[in-house]
Amino acid sequence: MNNSFSSSSDDDEVAPDPTLLIQRQISSQWNFTTQQLRDKVESIAIKCIQKHRMTELYDQAMNACQVQLKRNSDPHCHYLLAYYYHHGYTSNGIDVEKSEYHYNQAIQHHYVLAYYGLFQLDRDKHKQSNQQHIDQQRLARKHAARLVKAASFGLHSDAIQTLRSLYRTSQEWKQEINQLKSYHDHIIKQLKHDTSTLTDSYVCLGFLEYLIHTCNTLDQLQDQANDEDIRVPIKSFDYFKKASQLGDPRANMNYAFYTELDTPLYHHSQEVSLQQLDQIKHYYRAVQLGNHLATIKLKASMRENHLEMQTILKHKLYLEQYCRELPYSDVVNQLGSMYFNASQLYYMDINQGKDYFLQAITSHPSMAGPIDRCEYFYLGMMYELGIGVESNIATAAHFYASSIHPHHEISLALCRLAKLIEKGKLSQFDINDAVQLYQHGAYSRVIQVAPYCHYRLGRIVGQQQYQHYPFYQPLSVHLHMDIAFDCFNEGKLLTQPAAMDRYIMSKLMENGSCTNTSSHITVLAPQRNFHITRAYFADNYLNRFYSIKSWLRGKVLAMEAADDSTKLHHTFNWLCKEVQLLWQYSPIQLMMAAYHITQRYYNKQFIVQHFQLDYESTRAQLQTMPTAATYYKLGLLHQYGLGGATKDLKVSVDYYQQAIELSCPMASINLSLLHGCEEDGDCKQLYHQVYNNVKELALVQLQHLITATLNGSIRSIDIMQDRVKTYSSWRDIVDDRLKVLNKYLNKKILGFISKKLNNCTVGKYHAEMGILLMVKNFQNNKRPDRSTISEILKHFQESMKLGNPAGKFLFAFIKFKIKSTDSKTKLIDLYQKAAELKHPGANRMLFIYYSGQNSNSTSSANDNENDVDDDQKISYLTSAAQYGFPDAMANLAISLKYQESNSVDIVRQLLHQSLTDKLLGCYKVDLPIAELGFLYQYYWSSSHHYQLAAHYYAVDAFYQMENSKSRCFLANLIIKGHVDSTNGLDDAIKLCQSAIYIQDNSYSAYAHYLLGKIYSQRQQSSHINNQNIANEHYSAAFQLFYRHHSRHSSFTAMANYYLGVLCHFGCGRRKDLAKAKQFYSYGLRSKYNANFYLIKYYLNKCQDKLDMLKDS
């Protein structure tokens, strides 16, 4: 072994550069160079790859291309066939002649990728021949013009880099490229009317000016400058402008591309620069003029906003249009990711996503940007976690490895492959192989990959179980951990951390292995940071995975801090042992398995029926008693063309405007989002009006969002804060508006207007002033200074004095937001006064307050000072629902208002109407979706009501990570055989076990009860004692139900019922009929609170059981 480097203990004095650290480690540990490490990683990947699987995919793709070519001469199919023959991907192997033929056929149709493909084929032939030197002059004469076209017309990244390299290293190529420039100069001087030839030359000259200028500058500076330091010559932009004036969309695309090169847009903030807006606008114009390649650049440049459905649909629309024209792997991958990772269930389609990922494997990248072969990562994750397919670790490893060989990609696929090896799931490898993969990833310095690999290396190298391995270096643990920590304080990971990044950061803070305490990220207590990570749950599958991991870890930390931590730890550890014994799962594997079980019951056809029911019931309301909610919902359905409503943005806008006149805040928000601009890449198909720039758009959106906030929307405040943080034009407009309002208010506003109108207007202006100050100063979850808060509150107080209900609402809202020491009773009184003046948001806040009060029977006397009767609470709910708030609509449905037996259909309609906003991403607040499933299960009569129930339990599980109710109810359907199950009772067991991990009050107890029921009826297994486990679960159920009974005796129909059942039938304890009667009687005394139909069900069950025991 090479001993030229000292041991790791020498490294520990000062943390070296990450690259140097890895170089020293691989030299001392393996006696490798970095190239030898790459070769070793390649060999690990090759061992995982199932060659027959890849060959079969490519053979199918080849056959499809050949069938297509029999119909017509498709240049893309010609190119793919040339590509397959060139690299030998199919069972036919390499065939140079056929490859050359198909490249030439594609070139005849000016297919850009073929220009570079044929050059590559010729160069490969020279390398494989016996000639010692490549004839550069022949290659240059044959291919220089084609490579320039590939770079100019297709932004082909490899062509650009190749031309740069050859211009600087080969005199023959330099001479040929200079001659090409002279030729195009001659063309533009001679041709005045041949627009097509002229624009070709302008675009080529724009590129050639950039190429020659960059190469000459690098030569002069002897490579001391970076690309970012070299400006794009003005002449390049002039040529692109001239071609653009002649109507050539490629010119707009090049102008945008070189704007990006000239002013690097990557920075550590989330702000969109003026240059980026200009870039997006030119890509947008290229797309509008029919340049399909510009679409992928536009998509890459546009700001992602997963909270706005319009943004998601915009990207989807662009990609689907583009994919039909040029199905490149990067576009197909993005489509696959949109279906696979959809944050809205209505648009998720795992099978469609999988099909796109498989198609991406046999497609070629557009080469118009960075290559990302993410299909291998997603397919690997699908097979590793069993997402839409049967879990298969070998197949998962095959796909992960396929990104490494032959594509040489360093991505999260490498990390997942290393993790499988590290955890011993691939028997042909050992821990050394995992360490080498991690070292390769750490050496790469790729965002996300490098910090993850350093973190895993830090975890591995310090574990004593590996003392006999060459990589064991316990003293260097903190070096890897410090590097991982530093990586999270750089670039994108600093401004937009994903769930995985936050999880690792939390782990680093938790175990103290990281010694670097300097951080740009706000360092929170690990438990708090784990809690924040849960917000990523519905974002995408990787974030979902790490959200659950974070949440589980947070639960453990919470247990350690709890008063009864010993008891909680005992239950948690006991459950972990049971899960490991039954399934060989870790807690995260169990949680993911349970989540995937729920999603099998999701039915797209039921969602279609949901929108149909919503549209029909809303249309009926329009004819009888329309409210703001009615017009809002019709606007929403016409906006997306769902449920039988025609997709018509004009009709949608008309309905939204009618809803706004009736003070519906969601209509104002949605109407604001129906306006777009070219600088955001907004397409006219999805927007009511598209403006030229962000400033014009901001002026319109600001007024709509202010109106929404005045009517009680909190989401509108978040949207405005996001815009102000992202766009300088928004900051300017907010500042300008504040100046105008300040001027008006100082003049006491328009003296000639009547006093009544004057007060009304002044009150509104004060409220608007307070809102804008709040938007400007409450940024990044940071609380502004005391004087700023005082100024905001002053404006809301002035608005209040002038009789504006929005002032009362916003004053109370800010006081609650800053956790003021003011009496809660006084603030609730403000909400009540605003509600009396028909303020929409105040009614919603009151129903939320009283709902929380009902669920907490231990409220203090002070909290109950302004308590109201049930009729008043229902009045608040009804008013909030009429203004369109989905959570009010849902809670109204399950309130006492609809307790008659003939009200079930009304309840069903209200629950469906509330769910539409959630499905379309218009509302983030959790809704009682499981209650809709419960209604179908127990109160609805149809041939498929159990399937409907299971479907809505699946919908609930998709959106709400911490709700164990739907898991328990779905498990009960499986236990009773009401719905089919792939794995029978095993699926029910996993659902119940996951519900226990969630620790959701009485539903954890219910999950224990169901598990006891399953195990007591299950045949004896060879490796577990079912009856003993059943008794343990029954005992845990009794303890949890009894705790709930003791704390909330008047609201525990469910807990008292199951306590009675456990005593009645001697489940895990001796029979005690007297106790059973007592608990059933307690159950009958339970009050109806916020969930009428659930309580009614258990009241009836209690009565039935008491009738059964009447003579006992």
Side-chain angles (χ1 to χ4, degrees):
M1 185 173 287
N2 188 346
N3 294 315
S4 60
F5 287 89
S6 60
S7 68
S8 64
S9 59
D10 296 327
D11 296 336
D12 295 329
E13 297 176 5
V14 179
D17 175 85
T19 304
L20 179 61
L21 173 66
I22 297 298
Q23 285 177 333
R24 294 172 67 177
Q25 286 184 347
I26 64 174
S27 177
S28 62
Q29 291 163 9
W30 320 114
N31 200 18
F32 281 173
T33 63
T34 53
Q35 181 57 51
Q36 287 172 321
L37 178 65
R38 280 194 289 270
D39 294 340
K40 180 61 192 300
V41 166
E42 192 92 356
S43 70
I44 293 170
I46 290 170
K47 288 179 185 176
C48 294
I49 291 173
Q50 301 166 354
K51 195 170 186 308
H52 69 279
R53 184 183 289 274
M54 300 306 286
T55 303
E56 184 179 333
L57 276 175
Y58 279 105
D59 282 348
Q60 290 172 357
M62 173 175 274
N63 291 335
C65 287
Q66 289 169 339
V67 169
Q68 179 64 27
L69 286 176
K70 288 178 181 178
R71 296 179 188 143
N72 55 59
S73 185
D74 185 325
H76 181 69
C77 289
H78 276 300
Y79 175 76
L80 285 180
L81 288 174
Y83 175 63
Y84 299 158
Y85 283 124
H86 183 172
H87 297 284
Y89 287 144
T90 70
S91 56
N92 295 322
I94 294 174
D95 191 323
V96 174
E97 288 185 9
K98 287 184 178 179
S99 178
E100 188 170 5
Y101 167 77
H102 286 291
Y103 277 138
N104 280 314
Q105 289 296 309
I107 285 171
Q108 287 180 20
H109 292 83
H110 311 292
Y111 194 80
V112 171
L113 289 181
Y115 293 137
Y116 186 81
L118 186 58
F119 160 75
Q120 199 176 28
L121 183 69
D122 267 5
R123 189 175 58 179
D124 291 348
K125 284 195 294 185
H126 278 284
K127 288 179 179 179
Q128 292 164 9
S129 67
N130 294 325
Q131 297 176 19
Q132 291 186 345
H133 300 288
I134 296 176
D135 186 349
Q136 293 292 358
Q137 188 174 33
R138 191 188 74 81
L139 277 177
R141 286 177 178 173
K142 183 177 179 181
H143 294 290
R146 289 172 175 172
L147 290 185
V148 168
K149 286 182 179 179
S152 305
F153 303 157
L155 304 181
H156 196 297
S157 55
D158 283 359
I160 294 171
Q161 291 304 316
T162 299
L163 285 167
R164 282 180 54 167
S165 173
L166 291 171
Y167 188 89
R168 297 183 65 200
T169 58
S170 169
Q171 195 61 37
E172 294 88 350
W173 277 87
K174 185 174 185 177
Q175 182 179 347
E176 189 67 29
I177 290 169
N178 286 332
Q179 287 177 359
L180 269 174
K181 183 177 181 298
S182 299
Y183 166 76
H184 286 296
D185 281 332
H186 175 74
I187 289 290
I188 63 173
K189 289 175 184 176
Q190 297 298 316
L191 296 179
K192 300 294 184 183
H193 305 293
D194 187 348
T195 304
S196 175
T197 306
L198 199 58
T199 54
D200 283 358
S201 290
Y202 277 136
V203 174
C204 287
L205 278 169
F207 166 71
L208 288 168
E209 285 288 348
Y210 158 76
L211 173 69
I212 294 169
H213 170 76
T214 302
C215 292
N216 289 340
T217 304
L218 289 171
D219 287 341
Q220 290 169 9
L221 298 175
Q222 298 181 338
D223 290 321
Q224 295 302 306
N226 296 318
D227 282 1
E228 291 82 2
D229 302 322
I230 302 174
R231 300 298 300 271
V232 177
I234 297 296
K235 268 192 170 183
S236 289
F237 290 113
D238 288 342
Y239 284 128
F240 295 142
K241 284 179 182 177
K242 288 176 180 178
S244 175
Q245 289 166 0
L246 293 172
D248 192 325
R250 297 169 304 177
N252 285 295
M253 179 179 72
N254 273 275
Y255 188 97
F257 177 73
Y258 287 101
T259 299
E260 181 179 357
L261 284 185
D262 193 47
T263 311
L265 303 174
Y266 179 77
H267 40 65
H268 291 342
S269 74
Q270 294 181 18
E271 183 175 339
V272 178
S273 67
L274 294 175
Q275 290 84 0
Q276 189 172 8
L277 293 173
D278 190 43
Q279 170 204 342
I280 292 172
K281 182 162 64 176
H282 279 88
Y283 280 137
Y284 173 85
R285 289 176 179 172
V287 172
Q288 296 300 307
L289 290 169
N291 187 290
H292 304 295
L293 190 60
T295 314
I296 191 170
K297 301 299 293 181
L298 177 62
K299 165 69 173 66
S301 304
M302 286 189 299
R303 178 171 166 265
E304 298 274 356
N305 190 332
H306 295 290
L307 301 180
E308 293 177 13
M309 183 55 64
Q310 285 296 99
T311 308
I312 297 168
L313 292 179
K314 174 175 65 180
H315 293 168
K316 184 169 176 284
L317 178 70
Y318 278 136
L319 289 174
E320 286 181 333
Q321 287 180 339
Y322 176 56
C323 187
R324 283 194 292 269
E325 301 296 332
L326 296 172
Y328 293 145
S329 66
D330 33 4
V331 182
V332 178
N333 264 330
Q334 288 175 7
L335 276 170
S337 180
M338 282 190 160
Y339 282 105
F340 180 72
N341 287 319
S343 56
Q344 305 307 327
L345 191 55
Y346 179 66
Y347 294 99
M348 175 175 276
D349 190 327
I350 298 297
N351 290 329
Q352 181 69 72
K354 180 188 172 189
D355 289 343
Y356 275 127
F357 291 140
L358 290 172
Q359 182 185 340
I361 289 176
T362 57
S363 302
H364 194 279
S366 68
M367 304 306 297
I371 299 171
D372 179 10
R373 303 307 301 244
C374 67
E375 68 267 30
Y376 297 109
F377 170 71
Y378 284 123
L379 287 165
M381 189 162 65
M382 289 174 81
Y383 279 97
E384 180 186 354
L385 301 177
I387 306 169
V389 295
E390 284 297 318
S391 178
N392 188 311
I393 296 300
T395 305
H398 156 77
F399 283 117
Y400 289 144
S402 296
S403 72
I404 301 170
H405 176 82
H407 298 292
H408 310 292
E409 186 174 72
I410 300 173
S411 68
L412 291 175
L414 178 144
C415 300
R416 294 309 304 169
L417 179 62
K419 188 76 177 288
L420 290 177
I421 294 173
E422 178 193 342
K423 296 300 181 182
K425 295 187 178 181
L426 296 169
S427 58
Q428 68 269 42
F429 301 104
D430 64 18
I431 192 67
N432 285 328
D433 298 306
V435 168
Q436 288 164 354
L437 284 169
Y438 286 136
Q439 287 173 330
H440 184 55
Y443 183 74
S444 73
R445 307 193 77 164
V446 173
I447 290 178
Q448 274 201 315
V449 175
Y452 180 83
C453 289
H454 277 294
Y455 166 69
R456 294 312 308 173
L457 285 169
R459 291 288 299 269
I460 292 171
V461 298
Q463 295 183 39
Q464 293 186 4
Q465 69 189 83
Y466 301 124
Q467 285 182 0
H468 58 289
Y469 283 90
F471 61 76
Y472 178 68
Q473 298 174 309
L475 296 178
S476 70
V477 171
H478 72 264
L479 292 180
H480 286 293
M481 296 303 193
D482 282 349
I483 291 169
F485 190 88
D486 287 341
C487 287
F488 289 110
N489 289 278
E490 297 177 358
K492 185 177 179 181
L493 298 189
L494 173 63
T495 57
Q496 294 176 309
M500 184 181 89
D501 311 326
R502 282 200 176 275
Y503 172 79
I504 295 172
M505 197 72 164
S506 303
K507 291 289 287 185
L508 289 169
M509 291 187 289
E510 177 195 345
N511 58 27
S513 54
C514 172
T515 59
N516 185 352
T517 56
S518 63
S519 173
H520 301 295
I521 297 176
T522 304
V523 178
L524 303 165
Q527 187 177 335
R528 171 67 177 149
N529 214 31
F530 283 131
H531 179 81
I532 290 172
T533 307
R534 300 177 312 173
Y536 297 84
F537 176 67
D539 190 7
N540 61 50
Y541 255 98
L542 187 64
N543 278 345
R544 193 181 293 274
F545 177 79
Y546 276 99
S547 292
I548 295 176
K549 276 181 76 80
S550 298
W551 169 78
L552 283 167
R553 189 63 200 150
K555 285 284 186 184
V556 172
L557 294 180
M559 283 190 289
E560 290 173 354
D563 295 335
D564 53 350
S565 60
T566 305
K567 186 183 293 184
L568 289 170
H569 261 293
H570 172 74
T571 304
F572 187 83
N573 292 333
W574 159 50
L575 181 61
C576 289
K577 288 178 183 177
E578 180 183 312
V579 168
Q580 179 64 31
L581 187 64
L582 283 173
W583 325 115
Q584 290 74 56
Y585 282 172
S586 64
I588 177 61
Q589 288 174 310
L590 184 276
M591 293 299 293
M592 290 304 293
Y595 170 76
H596 294 143
I597 290 167
T598 66
Q599 295 312 293
R600 290 180 202 149
Y601 295 94
Y602 170 74
N603 188 317
K604 190 78 174 240
Q605 187 56 41
F606 287 156
I607 291 291
V608 172
Q609 293 174 10
H610 156 82
F611 286 119
Q612 290 171 346
L613 175 63
D614 192 4
Y615 181 61
E616 290 166 4
S617 58
T618 308
R619 287 286 298 173
Q621 290 170 12
L622 187 65
Q623 305 303 319
T624 55
M625 195 179 295
T627 62
T630 309
Y631 294 115
Y632 164 68
K633 187 55 60 69
L634 287 170
L636 187 62
L637 293 171
H638 278 288
Q639 179 181 343
Y640 295 107
L642 297 169
T646 55
K647 185 172 183 177
D648 190 321
L649 295 184
K650 186 178 183 307
V651 172
S652 175
V653 168
D654 289 343
Y655 278 125
Y656 282 148
Q657 287 173 338
Q658 290 181 77
I660 291 168
E661 289 175 9
L662 296 173
S663 303
C664 174
M666 281 76 66
S668 295
I669 293 174
N670 282 17
L671 187 54
S672 78
L673 298 177
L674 275 178
H675 294 84
C677 73
E678 291 185 10
E679 289 180 343
D680 265 345
D682 296 333
C683 48
K684 294 178 180 177
Q685 297 96 316
L686 293 174
Y687 292 84
H688 173 59
Q689 188 167 352
V690 175
Y691 297 91
N692 288 327
N693 54 60
V694 170
K695 188 169 185 178
E696 291 178 9
L697 172 64
L699 286 168
V700 175
Q701 287 187 328
L702 182 65
Q703 288 308 310
H704 287 305
L705 293 170
I706 289 288
T707 301
T709 309
L710 289 170
N711 285 325
S713 170
I714 308 305
R715 180 179 168 226
S716 56
I717 299 173
D718 295 337
I719 294 173
M720 286 189 284
Q721 286 176 333
D722 177 68
R723 296 290 196 274
V724 166
K725 182 169 62 178
T726 306
Y727 298 106
S728 59
S729 54
W730 265 82
R731 291 195 290 277
D732 294 340
I733 286 170
V734 168
D735 287 340
D736 290 345
R737 182 62 182 164
L738 283 169
K739 289 175 185 175
V740 170
L741 289 171
N742 216 18
K743 181 180 175 183
Y744 283 163
L745 292 173
N746 287 337
K747 289 185 176 181
K748 301 300 180 187
I749 201 168
L750 305 178
F752 61 86
I753 298 180
S754 69
K755 185 176 181 182
K756 181 178 179 182
L757 183 57
N758 190 8
N759 286 346
C760 178
T761 307
V762 173
K764 181 183 174 185
Y765 281 176
H766 272 297
E768 185 178 347
M769 189 92 167
I771 291 167
L772 292 175
L773 288 171
M774 184 166 52
V775 167
K776 186 177 177 180
N777 293 287
F778 276 89
Q779 285 285 340
N780 301 319
N781 295 318
K782 291 181 181 177
R783 179 172 171 168
D785 58 58
R786 186 176 297 177
S787 63
T788 304
I789 293 174
S790 296
E791 185 180 2
I792 293 169
L793 289 170
K794 181 190 76 175
H795 284 292
F796 292 147
Q797 279 178 314
E798 290 297 324
S799 179
M800 232 184 333
K801 289 176 185 176
L802 294 167
N804 192 318
K808 295 179 173 62
F809 169 81
L810 290 164
F811 184 88
F813 170 75
I814 284 289
K815 284 286 189 177
F816 275 119
K817 184 178 178 68
I818 63 175
K819 298 179 180 176
S820 166
T821 55
D822 290 30
S823 164
K824 186 184 290 186
T825 301
K826 291 181 179 178
L827 298 179
I828 294 300
D829 186 54
L830 281 177
Y831 279 147
Q832 287 174 336
K833 288 178 179 176
E836 289 169 7
L837 295 171
K838 302 188 183 309
H839 187 271
N843 280 282
R844 176 175 176 268
M845 285 300 187
L846 287 169
F847 109 70
I848 291 173
Y849 171 74
Y850 289 119
S851 295
Q853 198 178 71
N854 281 343
S855 63
N856 181 12
S857 62
T858 59
S859 301
S860 66
N862 289 335
D863 288 340
N864 291 324
E865 282 179 17
N866 48 8
D867 198 7
V868 294
D869 59 28
D870 287 338
D871 288 342
Q872 185 59 59
K873 293 172 188 175
I874 290 173
S875 174
Y876 293 140
L877 262 179
T878 304
S879 296
Q882 288 174 348
Y883 288 118
F885 289 106
D887 48 350
M889 208 174 287
N891 281 277
L892 178 64
I894 55 177
S895 71
L896 282 169
K897 182 171 182 177
Y898 297 109
Q899 57 184 294
E900 289 80 14
S901 57
N902 60 355
S903 298
V904 173
D905 193 39
I906 298 174
V907 171
R908 183 177 74 112
Q909 289 177 20
L910 281 170
L911 287 171
H912 275 286
Q913 287 180 326
S914 69
L915 182 56
T916 292
D917 290 75
K918 189 80 171 177
L919 291 172
L920 294 176
C922 301
Y923 212 66
K924 286 187 66 179
V925 175
D926 288 344
L927 298 174
I929 304 170
E931 275 72 4
L932 181 55
F934 190 85
L935 192 79
Y936 275 116
Q937 183 174 349
Y938 292 109
Y939 292 94
W940 193 253
S941 178
S942 76
S943 58
H944 52 271
H945 68 107
Y946 289 131
Q947 287 72 28
L948 277 163
H951 162 77
Y952 285 106
Y953 295 148
V955 173
D956 182 70
F958 176 86
Y959 285 110
Q960 292 164 198
M961 180 173 71
E962 292 185 274
N963 188 352
S964 58
K965 188 186 301 183
S966 56
R967 297 165 187 260
C968 292
F969 290 161
L970 181 54
N972 193 31
L973 283 174
I974 294 171
I975 293 167
K976 293 183 175 180
H978 294 319
V979 292
D980 295 331
S981 174
T982 305
N983 301 302
L985 289 178
D986 285 355
D987 285 347
I989 293 172
K990 290 172 186 174
L991 288 169
C992 291
Q993 288 170 332
S994 71
I996 295 170
Y997 276 127
I998 291 173
Q999 300 176 16
D1000 181 11
N1001 297 324
S1002 58
Y1003 287 98
S1004 290
Y1006 183 42
H1008 276 297
Y1009 168 78
L1010 291 174
L1011 284 172
K1013 191 174 177 181
I1014 294 171
Y1015 286 127
S1016 63
Q1017 297 172 3
R1018 202 179 188 195
Q1019 290 183 347
Q1020 192 67 35
S1021 172
S1022 58
H1023 57 288
I1024 60 172
N1025 187 319
N1026 285 337
Q1027 194 53 54
N1028 284 351
I1029 292 182
N1031 289 337
E1032 288 177 344
H1033 281 292
Y1034 279 141
S1035 176
F1038 189 91
Q1039 292 173 22
L1040 290 171
F1041 277 133
Y1042 193 79
R1043 183 189 304 172
H1044 197 61
H1045 158 86
S1046 302
R1047 293 178 180 176
H1048 312 282
S1049 59
S1050 61
F1051 296 101
T1052 52
M1054 179 181 178
N1056 282 304
Y1057 170 74
Y1058 285 111
L1059 286 168
V1061 168
L1062 291 166
C1063 294
H1064 185 170
F1065 298 101
C1067 301
R1069 58 197 305 104
R1070 66 179 182 82
K1071 281 187 179 183
D1072 190 332
L1073 298 184
K1075 275 280 185 188
K1077 287 181 179 179
Q1078 188 178 17
F1079 284 124
Y1080 292 144
S1081 298
Y1082 281 139
L1084 285 176
R1085 297 177 203 165
S1086 296
K1087 294 180 181 178
Y1088 289 106
N1089 55 6
N1091 200 336
F1092 170 79
Y1093 284 90
L1094 182 70
I1095 295 171
K1096 178 181 177 181
Y1097 171 79
Y1098 281 107
L1099 288 175
N1100 291 338
K1101 296 279 281 184
C1102 286
Q1103 187 61 61
D1104 290 344
K1105 286 292 188 290
L1106 278 174
D1107 291 344
M1108 184 188 299
L1109 293 173
K1110 191 177 295 181
D1111 300 326
S1112 300

